[in-house]
Amino acid sequence: QAKTTGRARWHFFDDTMHAQALARLNIEDQLREAITASQFVVFYQPIVALADAHVVGHEALVRWAHPNRGLLSPGEFLEIAEDTGLITAIGAQVLDQVCAMLAEHPDLPGPISVNVSAVQLAAPDWLTTVRDTLATHRVDPARIVIEVTETAVLSLVDSARTALTSLRELGIGIHLDDFGTGYSSISVLRDLPVTGVKLDLRFVHDLTADDSQANALAEGVNGLVKGLHLTGIAEGIETQMQANILRDQGWEHGQGYYFGKPATTPLPP
Ligand code: C2E
Ligand code: MG
Ligand code: MG
Ligand code: MG
């Protein structure tokens, strides 16, 4: 869909835009090769209980081990992967690695959270991929959480909403990522089978020692999360001050460089 729109616009490209379009096509080709050659690596970042910093789970974050550009973060390829639909194949490889990790480490604390794009949820065979991958590795669905951004949820077609509901029925958790950055935070909580909320890091970074509007917002979201009996995770915690403020507000879980950076192996309990 997005690709077709893109093509139509190419009539108006000047030289710079032409170069950008070529670079994009080049990345698209390289992404196809990367899928065939399995160049994707999964990093794991710990999620901790703010009360005592013990590990309660991990988030899986994909990296592309590019043959000549080194390790690339999602920011450098995710948009193209989504626009071309290649994210579905990449996501299948990520899930496979995550399930292999869970099977290999039955004592790993808590679930592993996997990011999923709207494109993946809308793909007709995504649900089957999830079921098959869990079965192949004999992984309990309760050990997987799907993270979907609030913005992605807004654009979800009915089939994708149904897919989310089916995933939830399998026993998989559903967390709303980057919470607070979309336009419909509260109605999404009502309309979808959400089990947890991740407070966007922008709110965390705005926290101040003296009470500010940012502090009130974070506290308010936690009230909402608690009232709905959801799991609350504050993202992007970089300082002890942020960790303490969120803990004192009653935020249950936290994640960020202060507790642990994404790494190739998960942290032990
Ligand atoms: P996200 O799901 O919101 O993940 C959190 C991002 O914040 C990650 O960036 C993580 O490395 C970074 N982060 C963690 N702690 C801190 C901190 O203390 N400070 C700051 N400034 N940043 C922190 P990353 O790994 O570059 O991923 C970016 C986004 O790409 C993710 O945002 C997620 O939306 C998407 N993504 C990552 N892996 C996958 C995947 O396997 N599939 C899909 N569809 N999307 C993915
Ligand atoms: Mg996430
Ligand atoms: Mg996030
Ligand atoms: Mg994000």
Side-chain angles (χ1 to χ4, degrees):
Q1 179 77 41
K3 204 176 159 191
T4 326
T5 325
R7 285 240 164 92
R9 274 198 231 114
W10 288 1
H11 296 286
F12 307 103
F13 277 13
D14 60 22
D15 281 355
T16 324
M17 291 166 95
H18 185 66
Q20 279 171 3
L22 282 179
R24 221 180 138 85
L25 277 178
N26 191 21
I27 293 182
E28 183 177 335
D29 279 347
Q30 291 177 3
L31 271 178
R32 287 182 203 282
E33 285 168 29
I35 291 166
T36 314
S38 302
Q39 290 168 359
F40 299 96
V41 184
V42 179
F43 274 53
Y44 298 89
Q45 186 178 31
I47 298 172
V48 305
L50 285 173
D52 60 3
H54 80 271
V55 178
V56 295
H58 287 87
E59 177 173 12
L61 295 159
V62 72
R63 305 284 179 259
W64 176 9
H66 192 283
N68 19 69
R69 292 172 63 201
L71 214 52
L72 303 183
S73 287
E76 306 201 50
F77 62 90
L78 195 62
E79 199 186 314
I80 298 180
E82 287 177 343
D83 289 352
T84 53
L86 292 171
I87 188 61
T88 307
I90 298 169
Q93 293 189 6
V94 168
L95 187 66
D96 188 70
Q97 289 190 39
V98 166
C99 288
M101 174 65 77
L102 282 167
E104 219 179 299
H105 301 277
D107 53 335
L108 210 64
I112 295 184
S113 301
V114 181
N115 293 284
V116 171
S117 304
V119 185
Q120 291 170 268
L121 285 173
D125 51 355
W126 171 248
L127 201 58
T128 314
T129 303
V130 174
R131 280 206 196 94
D132 290 353
T133 311
L134 287 167
T136 303
H137 296 281
R138 298 171 187 277
V139 165
D140 177 358
R143 299 186 73 201
I144 296 283
V145 168
I146 295 291
E147 288 189 7
V148 54
T149 66
E150 197 187 339
T151 325
V153 162
L154 285 182
S155 67
L156 285 188
V157 293
D158 283 348
S159 65
R161 289 172 182 267
T162 312
L164 266 185
T165 305
S166 305
L167 290 167
R168 181 67 203 118
E169 282 165 4
L170 281 179
I172 292 174
I174 313 284
H175 288 182
L176 217 47
D177 209 344
D178 302 349
F179 190 80
T181 58
Y183 297 99
S184 68
S185 312
I186 295 178
S187 61
V188 166
L189 291 177
R190 184 193 56 196
D191 298 341
L192 289 170
V194 173
T195 58
V197 158
K198 299 191 80 172
L199 181 69
D200 190 73
L201 50 79
R202 276 167 273 188
F203 293 97
V204 173
H205 295 173
D206 285 349
L207 294 171
T208 57
D210 51 338
D211 269 344
S212 65
Q213 191 193 38
N215 298 44
L217 283 171
E219 192 161 18
V221 174
N222 187 52
L224 185 64
V225 165
K226 284 273 149 62
L228 294 169
H229 306 288
L230 302 173
T231 301
I233 303 165
E235 282 196 279
I237 300 175
E238 293 178 355
T239 69
Q240 187 174 30
M241 182 198 79
Q242 291 164 352
N244 288 344
I245 292 173
L246 292 159
R247 181 201 60 204
D248 293 347
Q249 288 185 352
W251 276 91
E252 193 182 359
H253 297 160
Q255 178 184 354
Y257 299 156
Y258 176 68
F259 296 106
K261 295 200 166 165
T264 47
T265 47
L267 283 181

